[in-house]
């Protein structure tokens, strides 16, 4: 004779209906407030970028003013186009509802394509500008004095450009190239010092033009890095803000309307998953704000941000379903208690969640006038499965046959089905019930008094 009966309550359809009604997986996006918060929280990043750009523009203008007239005109035209390009791309990436609602990876691909197109156009324009400078070198061939003067100009301009590049993140974007071009300048200088001005002239000009090209390359790579950094930072700040916006969610009833006073604490019901996700977002945001993070890494961080937003929806979904399942456990226990009261004159005397934690199993004690007791345990299904596990533990002090115990459990199973809770086949577990199961005070803090948990109004 087994006093332990086990019933699997299949709630697949119930879960599906509740998930649809609650719309739990849809992360709540209060777009106007979201935009304001993202702008506020990225203001320091934008201010830092602006300060860096202003300081770089100041140093560049100072360096360009020391160039000779023909190279100064070339570099100032390049600088003007760089600024226009940078401003145009930053304008396109500024926080707007459209940008925040679009897929991050799509935006990054569009940004990269735009940058590559503009870089190609800039290089073509510079080739035309440089062609004019090269013609001047050919004109000086055969004129020793003019060649000597031209070499001095190119060497001075090359030194100025090298010093300007030294203030840029050249080792990040073009490691070793500045040192190699300085060696080219030194070679031209030695030829000039030896009086080989006509031989030194094309070397000096080539060294300068290579340095100018290197500066353009570094500026474009740094612009690409800043844009990727801004996109990753914005995307991660948005996820961080969405985590905050979804910390507490309303609980809705069958009619889809919020229940007064009922809230879903997402971190509590997700058992810390929300806080864990928030920590991962914070770690990646720190990396995104680090200037040492490469463009490829920034793009990966932006992609991870999109994946983390999806994970946030899954965390909210699990938390909401656990809350609803917790209430369902009480409802099932009440249904069983009503059945046992009707067929066996048992009365519900106590009810409690394991360790007073509503995320855990629910236990109810029923007692007959003759002293017999029944403990109803409603346990969550294993992780990843839907439904509940119902255990009926019988403590009969008079004689109860296996047939009587089984008939009682079958009556419970049929009553649950009649209430809309389909079940699996009844199973008998070997052994006798644990005698401590009837004492629910073991779940309670010492000061807590027995209190029967009843369903909240409007939740089914």
């Amino acid at each position: 004779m087994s006093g332990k009966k086990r019933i699997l309550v299949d709630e697949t359809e119930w879960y599906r209906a509740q998930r649809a009604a609650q719309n739990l997986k849809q992360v709540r996006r209060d777009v106007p407030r979201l935009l304001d918060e993202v702008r506020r929280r990225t203001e320091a990043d934008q201010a830092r970028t602006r300060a860096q750009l202003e300081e770089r523009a100041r140093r560049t203008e100072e360096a360009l003013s020391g160039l000779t007239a023909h190279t100064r005109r070339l570099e100032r035209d390049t600088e003007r186009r760089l600024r226009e390009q940078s401003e145009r791309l930053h304008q396109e990436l500024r926080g707007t509802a459209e940008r925040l609602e679009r897929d991050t990876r799509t935006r990054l691909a569009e940004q990269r394509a735009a940058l590559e197109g503009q870089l190609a156009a800039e290089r073509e324009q510079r080739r035309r500008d440089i062609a004019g400078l090269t013609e001047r070198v050919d004109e000086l061939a055969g004129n020793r004095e003019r060649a000597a003067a031209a070499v001095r100009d190119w060497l001075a301009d090359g030194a100025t450009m090298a010093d300007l590049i030294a203030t840029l993140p050249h080792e990040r974007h073009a490691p070793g190239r500045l040192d190699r071009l300085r060696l080219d300048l030194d070679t031209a200088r030695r030829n000039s010092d030896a009086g080989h001005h006509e031989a030194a002239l094309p070397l000096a000009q080539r060294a300068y033009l290579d340095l100018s090209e290197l500066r353009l390359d570094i500026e474009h790579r740094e612009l690409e890095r800043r844009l990727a950094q801004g996109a990753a930072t914005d995307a991660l700040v948005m996820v961080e803000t969405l985590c905050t916006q979804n910390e507490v969610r309303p609980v809705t009833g069958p009619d889809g309307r919020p229940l007064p006073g009922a809230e879903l604490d997402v971190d509590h019901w997700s058992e810390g998953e929300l806080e864990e996700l928030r920590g991962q977002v914070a770690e990646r945001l720190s990396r995104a704000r680090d200037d040492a993070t490469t463009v490829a890494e920034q793009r990966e961080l932006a992609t991870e941000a999109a994946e983390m937003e999806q994970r946030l929806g899954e965390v909210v979904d699990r938390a909401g379903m656990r809350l609803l399942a917790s209430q369902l456990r009480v409802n099932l226990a009440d249904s069983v208690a009503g059945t046992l009261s009707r067929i066996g004159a048992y009365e519900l005397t106590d009810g409690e969640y394991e360790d007073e934690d509503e995320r855990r199993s629910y236990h109810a004690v029923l007692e007959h006038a003759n002293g017999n007791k029944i403990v109803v345990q409603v346990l969550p299904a294993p992780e990843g499965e839907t439904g509940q596990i119902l255990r009926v533990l019988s403590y009969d002090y008079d004689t109860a046959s296996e047939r009587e115990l089984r008939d009682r459990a079958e009556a419970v199973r049929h009553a649950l089905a009649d209430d809309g809770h389909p079940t699996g086949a009844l199973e008998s577990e070997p052994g006798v019930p644990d005698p401590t199961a009837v004492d629910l005070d073991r779940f309670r803090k010492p000061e807590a008094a027995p209190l029967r948990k009843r369903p909240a109004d409007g939740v089914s």
Side-chain angles (χ1 to χ4, degrees):
M1 180 176 69
S2 172
K4 297 193 292 184
K5 305 300 180 187
R6 184 178 184 272
I7 303 170
L8 176 62
V9 182
D10 183 4
E11 297 292 345
T12 303
E13 290 301 322
W14 180 88
Y15 275 93
R16 185 178 294 119
Q18 290 295 333
R19 182 173 276 114
Q22 297 285 334
N23 199 19
L24 290 166
K25 204 166 186 176
Q26 180 62 45
V27 174
R28 190 172 59 190
R29 298 167 70 93
D30 182 349
V31 173
R33 192 159 62 91
L34 177 62
L35 285 170
D36 290 343
E37 186 64 13
V38 170
R39 288 193 190 103
R40 184 187 69 78
R41 297 181 66 179
T42 57
E43 187 175 348
D45 299 300
Q46 294 168 0
R48 182 169 67 98
T49 298
R50 283 195 301 271
Q52 290 173 343
L53 292 174
E54 289 170 2
E55 175 60 21
R56 185 168 295 161
R58 185 193 65 76
R59 289 198 306 263
T60 299
E61 180 56 35
E62 186 177 293
L64 296 184
S65 65
L67 296 174
T68 53
H70 54 285
T71 53
R72 184 168 61 245
R73 183 172 60 254
L74 167 68
E75 298 301 339
R76 279 185 169 156
D77 285 346
T78 297
E79 180 66 16
R80 174 182 54 77
R81 290 194 295 269
L82 279 171
R83 289 187 185 181
E84 289 174 354
Q85 179 187 111
S86 176
E87 181 60 28
R88 185 162 56 252
L89 286 170
H90 275 103
Q91 286 281 1
E92 292 172 2
L93 286 172
R94 284 208 176 109
T96 64
E98 179 186 2
R99 181 174 68 80
L100 286 174
E101 289 297 326
R102 289 170 59 205
D103 181 77
T104 302
R105 282 164 290 194
T106 300
R107 291 190 289 107
L108 288 174
E110 291 173 355
Q111 174 203 115
R112 188 172 190 175
L115 188 59
E116 289 174 350
Q118 292 179 13
L119 176 59
E122 176 61 28
R123 290 193 185 283
E124 180 60 33
Q125 179 61 48
R126 281 183 61 79
R127 277 195 287 271
R128 290 194 292 268
D129 295 341
I130 288 170
L133 295 179
T134 305
E135 290 173 4
R136 295 187 68 251
V137 173
D138 296 336
E139 293 171 5
L140 297 176
N143 188 319
R144 180 179 175 82
E145 290 184 3
R146 291 180 64 196
V151 168
R152 287 193 296 272
D153 287 346
W154 285 113
L155 289 174
D157 287 349
T160 298
M161 184 58 65
D163 290 342
L164 173 59
I165 292 171
T167 69
L168 302 176
H170 62 94
E171 284 299 328
R172 176 189 300 153
H173 298 302
R177 283 184 62 188
L178 177 59
D179 291 339
R180 290 194 292 273
L181 292 177
R182 283 188 189 274
L183 291 176
D184 291 346
L185 276 179
D186 290 342
T187 299
R189 186 175 291 106
R190 285 195 299 272
N191 283 337
S192 180
D193 291 344
H196 307 308
H197 304 304
E198 292 185 23
L201 182 57
L203 289 176
Q205 188 205 43
R206 185 71 260 163
Y208 172 80
L209 294 176
D210 286 346
L211 284 163
S212 178
E213 192 77 7
L214 174 59
R215 177 215 164 199
L216 176 63
D217 188 43
I218 292 170
E219 292 281 15
H220 271 105
R221 289 177 184 271
E222 181 62 9
L223 173 59
E224 186 179 23
R225 186 197 67 79
R226 288 199 308 268
L227 292 172
Q229 181 180 48
T233 300
D234 282 2
L236 287 163
V237 167
M238 183 177 71
V239 177
E240 197 171 56
T241 304
L242 286 171
C243 285
T244 300
Q245 284 191 0
N246 287 271
E247 283 177 333
V248 178
R249 297 270 298 239
V251 177
T252 59
D255 60 358
R257 296 182 180 180
L259 298 175
E263 292 181 330
L264 169 65
D265 181 335
V266 173
D267 190 57
H268 173 76
W269 286 98
S270 69
E271 307 219 25
E273 285 187 86
L274 178 62
E275 196 57 37
E276 179 183 356
L277 177 61
R278 200 197 304 270
Q280 292 171 354
V281 173
E283 184 273 331
R284 284 157 178 77
L285 187 54
S286 176
R287 283 166 48 197
R289 285 171 168 153
D290 185 349
D291 290 343
T293 303
T294 66
V295 171
E297 290 169 338
Q298 294 285 7
R299 288 179 176 143
E300 179 62 28
L301 288 171
T303 299
E304 287 186 36
E307 294 168 353
M308 285 178 162
E309 183 176 341
Q310 181 177 350
R311 280 179 52 200
L312 173 61
E314 293 167 356
V315 168
V316 172
D317 177 62
R318 278 194 294 275
M321 294 312 296
R322 285 171 181 168
L323 170 63
L324 294 170
S326 172
Q327 184 60 55
L328 177 62
R329 289 195 283 279
V330 180
N331 294 352
L332 289 173
D334 268 6
S335 180
V336 173
T339 299
L340 292 174
S341 175
R342 185 175 67 253
I343 68 174
Y346 280 86
E347 293 296 327
L348 179 64
T349 60
D350 198 2
E352 185 59 83
Y353 285 97
E354 180 182 346
D355 298 329
E356 296 185 300
D357 187 338
E358 294 178 335
R359 297 169 296 183
R360 307 292 179 247
S361 56
Y362 186 77
H363 301 244
V365 177
L366 298 90
E367 190 168 354
H368 194 276
N370 64 10
N372 289 346
K373 292 184 180 180
I374 294 176
V375 175
V376 177
Q377 298 177 342
V378 190
L379 293 72
E383 191 66 34
E385 298 181 17
T386 59
Q388 308 283 340
I389 296 172
L390 176 65
R391 300 180 75 227
V392 180
L393 310 181
S394 298
Y395 299 83
D396 290 285
Y397 298 104
D398 55 2
T399 301
S401 67
E402 174 65 20
R403 177 62 180 272
E404 289 174 311
L405 294 175
R406 192 170 186 85
D407 287 347
R408 178 192 295 164
E410 284 290 356
V412 168
R413 193 171 70 83
H414 289 300
L416 290 173
D418 291 342
D419 286 344
H421 305 291
T423 68
L426 177 67
E427 297 178 18
S428 293
E429 298 179 341
V432 296
D434 180 358
T436 65
V438 298
D439 179 17
L440 303 192
D441 285 340
R442 72 188 193 281
F443 294 144
R444 299 188 177 103
K445 298 181 178 66
E447 67 276 12
L451 177 64
R452 180 186 175 191
K453 300 289 194 300
R454 300 194 65 79
D457 292 340
V459 179
S460 61

